[in-house]
Each structure stands twice: as C-alpha cells, then as structure tokens.
Amino acid sequence: MAEALTAERGTLGRMVPSAQPTAEDRAILSENRRDQDARIAAARAAIARAGDQLPPAVGDAYARLQRDLQGFRSDIDALLERPHAERLPAQQRVSTRGLQIQAPLAEAMNAVEQRLMAADPRLGELGATARLVLDLREALSAYIIPIGGALRQNRAIGPDDLARSEAGRGAFDTTLARLRTAATAEARPAALRTAFERSIGTALEAKRVFDTASAEARAGAGFTVDVAAYNRAVQQAASMFGLRDAAIAEMRRHAAAAQAAAMWSLLMLAALVVPLLLALVAGGWLFRRHVLAALERITAAMAEVA
C-alpha cells in the first residue's frame, strides 16, 4: 500500500514542476493510480474478511483514504493543465498533501499490529518489522520533500523548510536504528537479515544523493545534484520495501506453521484419548474455525494494509 502511494507521489514529483509533463509520465501516473486503487480494494476486502477480528476504525481509515485520493487526484489533474510558472511553486505542496493523505493509516496499522501481537507475539514482531519499513519511508519523504522543492527551483532552502527536513532526517535515523535491531537480531530468520542488508543497503545509497542535495540546499551556492539524479534516487529508495515483503513472507510462513502445529497436536491427543475422540475432533474444528482462522485473517489483512 505505502509503496503504491509513494510511487504516485514520485511520479507527480516529476510531472508537476516539469516544463511540460510527458506522455510517458501521464501513462505512468495512470498506471500508478490503477495499481493504488487495486491495492486499496484488496486491503478493504481483506479487512472485511477479518470481520470483527479488527476494529471498525481500520476499515474506516481505508474508506477515508479512497475518498481523499479522489479529491486529491481531481485537484492534481486540474493543476497539470495550468502553466508551468503556476505549477512549479505548487510541487512541494502537492508532495506534502500526498503525505498527509495517508497519515490516518498509521492508526489503522497500529490496530492491526496490536491484534497480531495479542494473537501471536512472533507474528506481532514480524508485523512490527514490516511497519517500521513504512515508517522509514515516510520519514525519508519528510526529509527529502523540502530538499526537492529547493532543488527544482534552484534556490537555497528556507528556514521553515530546513526545520521540517531536519526533523525528517532525525526521524529517519531513529527509525533506521530501530529497524536494524528488529530485523537483524540473532533470533530473526536468516531471510530477514539478508533482506535488510540488501534492501536497506540499496536505499542508503540513494540517501547519499539526498544528503548531498541537502548540504547544497543549505549552502545556497547551487547544486551539483541534478533533478534527474534526484528522481532516480527517489525510485531507488523504494528498494527498502523488499524488507517489508520479506517480513510479510515470514509472517505467512509462521502463521501456516502455527496452524499446522496446532492441528497436529490435536490429532495426537485424539489418538491417545480414544474415548474423547469425537469431542476432540469437534473441538479441533472449533479451534481451527475460531482461533486459527482468525489468526489467518488478521495476517492476511496485515499483508494487504502494509
């Protein structure tokens, strides 16, 4: 979900300040929107399947996202038809508004995480790792949006924008430290540790471009980083979502293993206690239906909303 939102913001970041949006970027934006709409629909379907296993606020957050995106897109389509001189100053406002639209999803993610942790602490830890990746990307956005505005207008960064950017940089560093601990602890699956090194390593290479642009924006003496390099770095930073995907894959594996182990234990007990066989089979069916099925639905919802 966050990846699709970020992709749409990134495309707009190229289109809004450009002298003339290209047909290629218009096609990419349409594809971004289709992808985003499909993901929202999938998330809302997963939330509906989870039923009362998730609080109503989770579904409400995604319904609100859908409504807000429609209004945002209408405004963007009108802006793209305006002259370049009007669009250029609007680029940073567009990026900031796009970031704000998804802010209510944080509470929804908190609710899903809490349910996961209550159902299975191991799943909760993996879900928290996936969530930290999303927090890291949003912190990066807060850091680079003010820098991008200065770069595209070839000007020094103002004090208010600098304060916002530095707050984003601080949040990025703090979140990265938490994510490193969560993903690379000795008890974590090897696949998760490997994904951290690859995905976050590639994203940090992109961040070096932003750090250079940030220093140059503060100095106000021009940029060696050009807009094309900045845009490529934005796209490269999306590599961090590979770690989120790895965490979700581990969640699904763990949920499947937990279900299989629970059913195997019930079968073994049934074989040992023959007189209670019928009751145990009925109990096993109820356990699968009410406990394990709930776990499966919550895990599926987390995979979609992340």
Side-chain angles (χ1 to χ4, degrees):
M1 179 67 67
E3 185 175 3
L5 285 164
T6 301
E8 187 169 339
R9 284 205 313 265
T11 303
L12 290 174
R14 295 193 303 274
M15 295 178 68
V16 171
S18 66
Q20 180 61 48
T22 66
E24 180 183 6
D25 273 340
R26 290 183 184 276
I28 292 172
L29 180 61
S30 295
E31 181 60 30
N32 290 155
R33 290 175 173 180
R34 284 192 294 271
D35 181 40
Q36 177 71 306
D37 291 343
R39 294 192 189 209
I40 292 174
R44 295 187 71 180
I47 292 165
R49 288 193 296 271
D52 59 6
Q53 302 300 323
L54 294 175
V58 177
D60 293 344
Y62 282 85
R64 178 180 170 185
L65 172 66
Q66 199 163 34
R67 290 193 302 270
D68 289 349
L69 270 177
Q70 289 172 351
F72 176 64
R73 289 168 176 174
S74 295
D75 292 345
I76 287 298
D77 290 343
L79 177 63
L80 290 175
E81 300 306 316
R82 304 300 300 169
H84 178 243
E86 295 181 27
R87 283 187 281 109
L88 183 59
Q91 185 274 327
Q92 188 171 324
R93 294 196 302 275
V94 167
S95 296
T96 300
R97 185 178 171 193
L99 199 60
Q100 291 170 341
I101 283 174
Q102 68 189 83
L105 299 186
E107 293 183 9
M109 292 290 294
N110 289 340
V112 175
E113 275 187 63
Q114 289 166 5
R115 294 299 173 94
L116 272 176
M117 189 65 75
D120 185 311
R122 173 71 166 170
L123 274 180
E125 291 173 356
L126 290 167
T129 300
R131 166 64 183 280
L132 280 170
V133 176
L134 308 186
D135 291 345
L136 187 69
R137 183 60 184 85
E138 294 316 297
L140 182 65
S141 291
Y143 171 40
I144 69 175
I145 284 172
I147 299 169
L151 173 63
R152 289 187 172 93
Q153 297 178 53
N154 194 28
R155 57 169 174 80
I157 191 169
D160 291 342
D161 282 346
L162 178 59
R164 283 190 289 270
S165 180
E166 287 303 297
R169 187 209 297 259
F172 181 92
D173 292 343
T174 300
T175 305
L176 178 60
R178 293 175 58 203
L179 184 57
R180 179 177 285 107
T181 299
T184 64
E186 187 174 349
R188 293 293 182 266
L192 203 61
R193 298 196 300 272
T194 299
F196 177 89
E197 296 300 330
R198 290 178 178 172
S199 301
I200 302 303
T202 301
L204 289 177
E205 290 176 5
K207 183 176 175 288
R208 284 195 281 273
V209 175
F210 305 136
D211 290 342
T212 299
S214 175
E216 293 176 343
R218 291 195 302 274
F223 293 89
T224 60
V225 175
D226 60 27
V227 172
Y230 177 92
N231 288 339
R232 287 193 298 272
V234 170
Q235 294 175 326
Q236 183 179 349
S239 65
M240 68 175 67
F241 290 120
L243 177 57
R244 175 208 57 188
D245 295 343
I248 290 173
E250 290 298 327
M251 286 171 62
R252 287 176 166 148
R253 276 192 285 271
H254 178 75
Q259 290 172 348
M263 293 305 295
W264 176 250
S265 296
L266 285 169
L267 290 173
M268 290 295 292
L269 187 58
L272 293 171
V273 190
V274 176
L276 299 179
L277 177 59
L278 293 177
L280 283 170
V281 169
W285 180 80
L286 289 172
F287 181 75
R288 173 67 174 83
R289 180 179 179 184
H290 293 293
V291 179
L292 297 179
L295 187 67
E296 183 178 4
R297 288 194 296 271
I298 297 172
T299 300
M302 180 66 176
E304 294 293 347
V305 301

